[in-house]
Amino acid sequence: MNRKRVGYAFLLALMLVAPAVVYPVLVMKILCFALFACAFNLLIGYTGLLSFGHAIFLGTAGYVAGHSIKVWGFPPELGLIFAALAAAALGWVIGSLAIRRSGIYFAMITLALAQMMYFFFLQAPFTGGEDGLQDVPRGKLLGVVDLADDYNLYYFVLAIFVFAFWLIHRTIHSPFGQVLKAIRENEARAISLGYDVAKYKLLAFVLSAGLAGLAGATKTLVFRFATLTDAHWHTSGEVVLMTLLGGMGTVFGPVVGAATIITLQNELADKVGSLVTVIMGAIFVVCVLAFRRGIVGELGALYKRMTGTR
Amino acid sequence: MAEDCILETRNLVKEFKGFIAVNDVSLKVRRGHIHALIGPNGAGKTTVFNLLTKFLAPTRGHIQFNGQDITPERPAQIARRGIVRSFQISAVFPHLTVLENVRIALQRKLGISFHFWRSDKTLNALDGRAMELLAQVGLESFAGMVTVELPYGRKRALEIATTLALEPELMLLDEPTQGMGHEDVGLVKDLIKKVSANRTVLMVEHNMGVVADISDTITVLARGAVLAEGPYAEVSKNPAVVEAYMGTTQA
Ligand SMILES: Nc1ncnc2c1ncn2[C@@H]1O[C@H](COP(=O)(O)OP(=O)(O)O)[C@@H](O)[C@H]1O
Ligand SMILES: [Mg+2]
């Protein structure tokens, strides 16, 4: 559909000029969390798997990127790729253990394994414990572009986001994505049609973990440090909130959800302090009770009703 | 004639925590037959289907398909061998379109189902075949509809089209006419008869009209065990069957 193309082009143009109006570091933070939420949505929205330990991929990749860049002297692009691969590998391990179970058990196993990793990070010397892994240099992209400059980094982060968003979009709209949707819709039927659903779920899990890792690694580059917060289960909860608020199982929902939550947190942090948690909780409740399809889901339904199409 | 028998079970047993749902069932399904599995509610028919397709692991006993022991295999493997089942409760993908439902079944053979980098436009190549299958069950005009909006009888027809897409050697149908109106029952019955032309059908069916009309062999199950076996005319006169089953049926 051509209207869609125009829409995407318009959004991209908007993102290209955004740093002229908005503080680029804030937009980069939003992009990182939007990517994280999109990766999470690939599982919950399109495969029907609720991972409740997804922050561990964000956090792990953050540390891997930070350590490889700071200590081993990796150039930034290599550090990011390496970190995303590390998260994907961790995803393979956690996924292999968790996909044997479904529903609440799946969620609990992902949470438990993520907690184990969290305590490992808390104790391990290279993470800097509570202080975090600090002073990660942003370096030069391909040895040329100085990423210490916020604007240069912004366009690099935007490129990463666009690539990852495209990859997720493609995955959803691929033969593999069709099978994922079939599994989400009726797992037993997918099995009876000859699909080894465990393998499909595992690949989806690994992709999602790798992309969540890419988000975490990018975030380390943006903020110049990797922190325990990113690996904490609070963050796992936050990504659930972002995805539900924006619209689970919609392409743009997680982006809208992440942007809303991050902006709110940013605006409210100095004004209401720790009340932020209460406000987030309230948003969650309202979202689940009043508009279960999320912002994008509800808008989409409204649009369909108004135009009378299905 | 051993090769005439497509599916055979030997002393199949399934226990659920001490409760014996399937008790020493030895079945022989002949190639090309429509074989009906009947029996009162709770007799263990669905459980037998679950064992045959390995959705449940048998406590004891063996299953042979085309002379090969398939007892240790996983459900998806069994499906790929050509034993495809339907479910007692309608088994469609509700939020995919009718066409997509059939395409999911067709797509596996392309061998690209793990290709997450490939556009799903590749699958359009399957549309022709999918429409043929839909036409076979009278659903071609519904192809673009989201499946959840189909009437119940049509969903069951879609299930059959999806199952047929895999060109199964052996089709297992669990109560294909359950909950259907009179005309729909007739349609599905004719459909089963039609698609059984070059394959074997094993079906659980409560509607005795359907069973009498199209089945070649009937096995009666009661309390997990085989009570009688044979053609309808014979089985329906068996006093044990009349007592255990015919007396309690609504059909
Ligand atoms: N997963 C299960 N766990 C425990 N009992 C079961 C299970 N599945 C079926 N049963 C029991 O086994 C018996 C046979 O059930 P089923 O095979 O569904 O009967 P039918 O299909 O002939 O109506 C019933 O008593 C049922 O309660
Ligand atoms: Mg049953």
Side-chain angles (χ1 to χ4, degrees):
Chain A
M1 218 166 79
N2 245 336
R3 279 236 303 278
K4 243 182 200 162
R5 288 254 164 92
V6 174
Y8 278 118
F10 176 72
L11 282 175
L12 185 62
L14 213 62
M15 291 312 291
L16 286 171
V17 298
V21 197
V22 196
Y23 179 48
V25 173
L26 174 64
V27 189
M28 287 192 276
K29 184 177 180 186
I30 289 175
L31 286 175
C32 290
F33 276 98
L35 172 52
F36 180 36
C38 285
F40 176 76
N41 186 42
L42 182 60
L43 280 184
I44 181 104
Y46 292 95
T47 320
L49 291 174
L50 170 59
S51 161
F52 206 73
H54 237 51
I56 206 64
F57 304 116
L58 188 80
T60 300
Y63 285 125
V64 172
H67 190 79
S68 64
I69 292 170
K70 182 184 170 185
V71 182
W72 297 343
F74 277 26
E77 64 279 359
L78 194 63
L80 294 192
I81 293 171
F82 180 61
L85 290 177
L90 181 65
W92 187 80
V93 174
I94 292 184
S96 304
L97 292 168
I99 52 173
R100 293 153 195 266
R101 295 282 173 272
S102 53
I104 189 76
Y105 299 101
F106 176 85
M108 287 300 115
I109 293 171
T110 51
L111 175 61
L113 293 172
Q115 284 302 92
M116 283 164 60
M117 282 300 288
Y118 176 83
F119 284 105
F120 167 72
F121 287 143
L122 184 63
Q123 303 297 330
F126 76 95
T127 62
E130 308 266 12
D131 300 331
L133 178 65
Q134 303 203 4
D135 302 319
V136 178
R138 283 179 181 174
K140 287 192 166 143
L141 178 61
L142 301 169
V144 188
V145 185
D146 187 5
L147 296 179
D149 179 274
D150 277 350
Y151 291 92
N152 288 348
L153 184 66
Y154 175 81
Y155 290 106
F156 180 46
V157 171
L158 182 60
I160 292 172
F161 176 81
V162 169
F163 162 75
F165 186 82
W166 171 83
L167 185 65
I168 292 171
H169 187 271
R170 173 39 62 86
T171 302
I172 293 166
H173 299 98
S174 72
F176 175 67
Q178 279 298 110
V179 179
L180 292 187
K181 283 175 223 166
I183 293 172
R184 175 193 70 189
E185 298 278 297
N186 192 334
E187 185 169 340
R189 183 53 169 168
I191 296 172
S192 80
L193 295 179
Y195 290 105
D196 279 311
V197 297
K199 289 185 187 157
Y200 290 85
K201 286 182 183 174
L202 184 58
L203 178 55
F205 200 90
V206 170
L207 281 173
S208 174
L211 289 164
L214 184 59
T218 309
K219 186 167 172 288
T220 294
L221 213 57
V222 172
F223 290 98
R224 296 191 170 92
F225 67 84
T227 119
L228 268 179
T229 316
D230 285 350
H232 197 272
W233 65 269
H234 278 171
T235 309
S236 294
E238 237 165 56
V239 77
V240 178
L241 174 56
M242 288 171 181
T243 309
L244 283 184
L245 178 67
M248 164 178 122
T250 63
V251 173
F252 270 108
V255 181
V256 173
T260 311
I261 299 287
I262 298 292
T263 310
L264 271 179
Q265 282 175 347
N266 199 62
E267 291 295 314
L268 295 176
D270 355 321
K271 292 172 197 144
V272 297
S274 57
L275 260 180
V276 155
T277 326
V278 180
I279 295 173
M280 292 300 137
I283 291 176
F284 189 81
V285 171
V286 169
C287 177
V288 170
L289 290 181
F291 55 118
R292 300 185 62 167
R293 282 179 287 209
I295 298 170
V296 172
E298 295 292 344
L299 286 178
L302 189 71
Y303 176 78
K304 275 175 191 165
R305 231 176 305 140
M306 279 168 40
T307 57
T309 54
R310 269 191 294 109
Chain B
M1 281 203 289
E3 71 270 23
D4 230 350
C5 169
I6 186 169
L7 182 84
E8 184 175 356
T9 71
R10 296 212 186 114
N11 312 103
L12 214 50
V13 175
K14 180 65 190 178
E15 292 181 13
F16 294 111
K17 298 191 177 114
F19 170 73
I20 303 176
V22 172
N23 191 1
D24 209 28
V25 168
S26 298
L27 268 182
K28 275 190 184 173
V29 179
R30 286 182 53 163
R31 189 182 307 280
H33 270 195
I34 296 181
H35 192 130
L37 189 59
I38 67 171
N41 270 325
K45 304 177 299 290
T46 297
T47 307
V48 167
F49 268 28
N50 284 332
L51 294 175
L52 292 178
T53 50
K54 289 307 294 299
F55 276 70
L56 289 173
T59 311
R60 277 188 296 285
H62 291 275
I63 307 160
Q64 283 202 336
F65 179 63
N66 283 332
Q68 269 183 300
D69 187 5
I70 58 164
T71 323
E73 295 191 353
R74 282 173 291 117
Q77 268 176 310
I78 304 245
R80 292 199 291 269
R81 275 190 181 274
I83 307 181
V84 183
R85 70 174 296 180
S86 73
F87 294 80
Q88 184 166 350
I89 298 156
S90 98
V92 291
F93 304 114
H95 296 100
L96 301 184
T97 66
V98 170
L99 186 76
E100 282 173 326
N101 263 265
V102 181
R103 268 191 356 189
I104 287 282
L106 290 171
Q107 141 179 9
R108 210 193 70 230
K109 290 224 175 77
L110 292 181
I112 56 167
S113 291
F114 283 107
H115 294 193
F116 60 86
W117 58 89
R118 203 188 270 263
S119 166
D120 57 6
K121 292 203 177 70
T122 337
L123 301 175
N124 293 349
L126 301 171
D127 287 357
R129 177 71 187 131
M131 287 306 287
E132 271 173 40
L133 286 158
L134 288 177
Q136 242 188 71
V137 299
L139 283 178
E140 67 272 51
S141 56
F142 297 87
M145 195 185 257
V146 180
T147 305
V148 70
E149 291 169 12
L150 279 185
Y152 182 77
R154 303 274 185 191
K155 280 189 190 140
R156 309 258 18 191
L158 174 59
E159 239 179 283
I160 293 179
T162 309
T163 303
L164 282 175
L166 298 176
E167 293 172 20
E169 238 184 297
L170 173 62
M171 245 171 122
L172 307 183
L173 303 172
D174 198 349
E175 304 202 19
T177 69
Q178 190 208 39
M180 280 187 187
H182 194 68
E183 318 87 83
D184 281 345
V185 169
L187 286 177
V188 169
K189 182 183 80 180
D190 295 341
L191 184 60
I192 295 171
K193 183 74 191 162
K194 188 168 86 180
V195 303
S196 72
N198 38 20
R199 54 175 54 87
T200 313
V201 175
L202 175 61
M203 64 173 186
V204 171
E205 185 51 62
H206 269 307
N207 188 317
M208 280 308 127
V210 174
V211 172
D213 278 0
I214 64 172
S215 58
D216 301 295
T217 313
I218 299 169
T219 299
V220 185
L221 218 56
R223 297 211 197 99
V226 176
L227 193 64
E229 196 167 76
Y232 181 79
E234 211 174 275
V235 167
S236 59
K237 291 197 192 82
N238 184 323
V241 174
V242 174
E243 191 193 339
Y245 182 64
M246 301 296 185
T248 65
T249 183
Q250 60 276 38

